[in-house]
Amino acid sequence: MTNPTGSPARAGRRAQAARNDAVILDAARAVFLDDPKAPIAAVAERAGVGISALYRRYAGKEDLLRRLCHDGLRRYVAEAEAALTEPDAWSAFADFLARLVDADVHSLTVRLAGTFTPTEEMGRDAVRAGELTEALVRRAHADGRLRPDVGVHDIPLLLEGCAAIRVPDPERTRQLRRRQLALLLAGLVATAPPLPGPPPAAGEFGRWSRRE
């Protein structure tokens, strides 16, 4: 007897496909953070799937890289939106940064930017991420806790600096990144001495334009 749409068997297959996709994405993240030039076959090997199974989900390496980075961008947007619902502007700002550091979103930004052609949807999400970050910075300024010479484009550089910290032990990596973030946050309070030079300009550190 044929199972109707929405049957337990069909739902089970969808769940298994989602699990397989998660395994592939976890493997791809590990492989490409270690070596952005690694072949897609290295991802299949690490994930424990056949190359044909990987190609059924992703047309090629660039498609996989795009998915990884877009997932990271969506995570950023989601965390920023959540932070803007919190009543305390400074705590929301600091906790937002901590969640992104723990999620390691910016390792993908640094290592994989320029290795693929971004989609229009990624461009829209990047604009949205910038708008949300600006809103968080504006709230923290209005609250009087964030130093006035910090601009919205300082934030990605701060997060990339934390993401650059990496040691073999994942837990130690987390500890060191949190320690660095705490030091950076101490320098962001309004009572800290003035910063040298102007803040980063829009587009000065553009990440998603493909390198030729």
mmCIF file of all heavy atoms in Angstrom, residues 76-87 92 96 99 132 136 139:
data_model
loop_
_atom_site.group_PDB
_atom_site.id
_atom_site.type_symbol
_atom_site.label_atom_id
_atom_site.label_comp_id
_atom_site.label_asym_id
_atom_site.label_seq_id
_atom_site.Cartn_x
_atom_site.Cartn_y
_atom_site.Cartn_z
ATOM 1 N N TYR A 76 23.595 35.398 12.344
ATOM 2 C CA TYR A 76 23.902 36.754 12.801
ATOM 3 C C TYR A 76 22.622 37.590 12.882
ATOM 4 O O TYR A 76 22.362 38.261 13.885
ATOM 5 C CB TYR A 76 24.895 37.395 11.835
ATOM 6 C CG TYR A 76 25.416 38.745 12.261
ATOM 7 C CD1 TYR A 76 26.698 38.879 12.789
ATOM 8 C CD2 TYR A 76 24.646 39.906 12.134
ATOM 9 C CE1 TYR A 76 27.195 40.109 13.176
ATOM 10 C CE2 TYR A 76 25.125 41.134 12.525
ATOM 11 C CZ TYR A 76 26.394 41.239 13.040
ATOM 12 O OH TYR A 76 26.879 42.458 13.436
ATOM 13 N N VAL A 77 21.822 37.542 11.817
ATOM 14 C CA VAL A 77 20.578 38.315 11.778
ATOM 15 C C VAL A 77 19.637 37.887 12.905
ATOM 16 O O VAL A 77 19.049 38.734 13.592
ATOM 17 C CB VAL A 77 19.903 38.160 10.395
ATOM 18 C CG1 VAL A 77 18.478 38.696 10.429
ATOM 19 C CG2 VAL A 77 20.714 38.872 9.321
ATOM 20 N N ALA A 78 19.513 36.585 13.101
ATOM 21 C CA ALA A 78 18.622 36.080 14.146
ATOM 22 C C ALA A 78 19.077 36.537 15.534
ATOM 23 O O ALA A 78 18.249 36.937 16.374
ATOM 24 C CB ALA A 78 18.548 34.560 14.087
ATOM 25 N N GLU A 79 20.381 36.489 15.783
ATOM 26 C CA GLU A 79 20.896 36.908 17.091
ATOM 27 C C GLU A 79 20.699 38.410 17.294
ATOM 28 O O GLU A 79 20.385 38.861 18.404
ATOM 29 C CB GLU A 79 22.376 36.548 17.222
ATOM 30 C CG GLU A 79 22.678 35.056 17.250
ATOM 31 C CD GLU A 79 22.168 34.350 18.492
ATOM 32 O OE1 GLU A 79 21.568 35.008 19.369
ATOM 33 O OE2 GLU A 79 22.378 33.126 18.601
ATOM 34 N N ALA A 80 20.893 39.182 16.243
ATOM 35 C CA ALA A 80 20.704 40.636 16.358
ATOM 36 C C ALA A 80 19.240 40.977 16.612
ATOM 37 O O ALA A 80 18.926 41.854 17.434
ATOM 38 C CB ALA A 80 21.203 41.324 15.090
ATOM 39 N N GLU A 81 18.348 40.303 15.915
ATOM 40 C CA GLU A 81 16.916 40.551 16.131
ATOM 41 C C GLU A 81 16.520 40.205 17.561
ATOM 42 O O GLU A 81 15.735 40.935 18.193
ATOM 43 C CB GLU A 81 16.101 39.737 15.134
ATOM 44 C CG GLU A 81 16.195 40.258 13.704
ATOM 45 C CD GLU A 81 15.477 39.381 12.693
ATOM 46 O OE1 GLU A 81 15.249 38.181 12.993
ATOM 47 O OE2 GLU A 81 15.160 39.883 11.601
ATOM 48 N N ALA A 82 17.040 39.097 18.067
ATOM 49 C CA ALA A 82 16.741 38.710 19.446
ATOM 50 C C ALA A 82 17.286 39.744 20.431
ATOM 51 O O ALA A 82 16.621 40.101 21.416
ATOM 52 C CB ALA A 82 17.322 37.333 19.741
ATOM 53 N N ALA A 83 18.487 40.256 20.169
ATOM 54 C CA ALA A 83 19.104 41.232 21.067
ATOM 55 C C ALA A 83 18.280 42.515 21.141
ATOM 56 O O ALA A 83 18.189 43.144 22.204
ATOM 57 C CB ALA A 83 20.528 41.536 20.610
ATOM 58 N N LEU A 84 17.678 42.900 20.039
ATOM 59 C CA LEU A 84 16.907 44.142 20.020
ATOM 60 C C LEU A 84 15.605 44.043 20.810
ATOM 61 O O LEU A 84 14.964 45.059 21.078
ATOM 62 C CB LEU A 84 16.614 44.549 18.577
ATOM 63 C CG LEU A 84 17.809 45.145 17.823
ATOM 64 C CD1 LEU A 84 17.495 45.297 16.343
ATOM 65 C CD2 LEU A 84 18.206 46.496 18.421
ATOM 66 N N THR A 85 15.206 42.842 21.183
ATOM 67 C CA THR A 85 14.004 42.685 22.013
ATOM 68 C C THR A 85 14.333 42.764 23.500
ATOM 69 O O THR A 85 13.423 42.838 24.324
ATOM 70 C CB THR A 85 13.315 41.336 21.732
ATOM 71 O OG1 THR A 85 14.151 40.251 22.191
ATOM 72 C CG2 THR A 85 13.028 41.156 20.249
ATOM 73 N N GLU A 86 15.622 42.743 23.851
ATOM 74 C CA GLU A 86 16.019 42.781 25.264
ATOM 75 C C GLU A 86 15.973 44.224 25.767
ATOM 76 O O GLU A 86 16.379 45.150 25.067
ATOM 77 C CB GLU A 86 17.418 42.198 25.425
ATOM 78 C CG GLU A 86 17.519 40.732 25.008
ATOM 79 C CD GLU A 86 18.933 40.203 25.045
ATOM 80 O OE1 GLU A 86 19.777 40.830 25.731
ATOM 81 O OE2 GLU A 86 19.205 39.179 24.388
ATOM 82 N N PRO A 87 15.486 44.438 26.992
ATOM 83 C CA PRO A 87 15.269 45.809 27.467
ATOM 84 C C PRO A 87 16.544 46.584 27.799
ATOM 85 O O PRO A 87 16.592 47.796 27.587
ATOM 86 C CB PRO A 87 14.404 45.612 28.722
ATOM 87 C CG PRO A 87 14.706 44.212 29.174
ATOM 88 C CD PRO A 87 14.969 43.425 27.931
ATOM 89 N N ALA A 92 22.180 43.728 26.199
ATOM 90 C CA ALA A 92 21.784 43.142 24.921
ATOM 91 C C ALA A 92 22.940 43.163 23.935
ATOM 92 O O ALA A 92 23.193 42.183 23.226
ATOM 93 C CB ALA A 92 20.594 43.902 24.352
ATOM 94 N N PHE A 96 24.835 39.789 22.761
ATOM 95 C CA PHE A 96 24.808 39.543 21.319
ATOM 96 C C PHE A 96 26.206 39.185 20.819
ATOM 97 O O PHE A 96 26.400 38.194 20.099
ATOM 98 C CB PHE A 96 24.277 40.791 20.626
ATOM 99 C CG PHE A 96 24.576 40.904 19.163
ATOM 100 C CD1 PHE A 96 23.940 40.087 18.242
ATOM 101 C CD2 PHE A 96 25.483 41.861 18.708
ATOM 102 C CE1 PHE A 96 24.220 40.209 16.882
ATOM 103 C CE2 PHE A 96 25.756 41.987 17.361
ATOM 104 C CZ PHE A 96 25.124 41.156 16.440
ATOM 105 N N ARG A 99 27.255 35.673 22.096
ATOM 106 C CA ARG A 99 26.615 34.565 21.386
ATOM 107 C C ARG A 99 27.247 34.341 20.013
ATOM 108 O O ARG A 99 27.436 33.189 19.586
ATOM 109 C CB ARG A 99 25.113 34.825 21.248
ATOM 110 C CG ARG A 99 24.353 34.733 22.565
ATOM 111 C CD ARG A 99 22.851 34.651 22.357
ATOM 112 N NE ARG A 99 22.299 35.817 21.685
ATOM 113 C CZ ARG A 99 21.867 36.907 22.317
ATOM 114 N NH1 ARG A 99 21.935 36.980 23.650
ATOM 115 N NH2 ARG A 99 21.346 37.913 21.639
ATOM 116 N N LEU A 132 20.608 46.008 11.532
ATOM 117 C CA LEU A 132 20.388 45.546 12.906
ATOM 118 C C LEU A 132 21.564 45.906 13.811
ATOM 119 O O LEU A 132 21.373 46.314 14.962
ATOM 120 C CB LEU A 132 20.154 44.040 12.910
ATOM 121 C CG LEU A 132 18.850 43.565 12.262
ATOM 122 C CD1 LEU A 132 18.888 42.059 12.019
ATOM 123 C CD2 LEU A 132 17.656 43.928 13.137
ATOM 124 N N LEU A 136 21.600 48.235 17.216
ATOM 125 C CA LEU A 136 22.164 47.832 18.507
ATOM 126 C C LEU A 136 23.200 48.840 18.995
ATOM 127 O O LEU A 136 23.225 49.195 20.186
ATOM 128 C CB LEU A 136 22.802 46.449 18.388
ATOM 129 C CG LEU A 136 21.842 45.262 18.334
ATOM 130 C CD1 LEU A 136 22.558 44.004 17.885
ATOM 131 C CD2 LEU A 136 21.190 45.036 19.702
ATOM 132 N N ARG A 139 21.403 52.042 20.113
ATOM 133 C CA ARG A 139 20.774 51.888 21.441
ATOM 134 C C ARG A 139 21.815 51.957 22.551
ATOM 135 O O ARG A 139 21.592 52.572 23.598
ATOM 136 C CB ARG A 139 20.053 50.538 21.513
ATOM 137 C CG ARG A 139 18.701 50.510 20.881
ATOM 138 C CD ARG A 139 17.757 49.525 21.591
ATOM 139 N NE ARG A 139 18.385 48.267 21.962
ATOM 140 C CZ ARG A 139 17.875 47.417 22.860
ATOM 141 N NH1 ARG A 139 16.747 47.695 23.475
ATOM 142 N NH2 ARG A 139 18.485 46.277 23.127
#
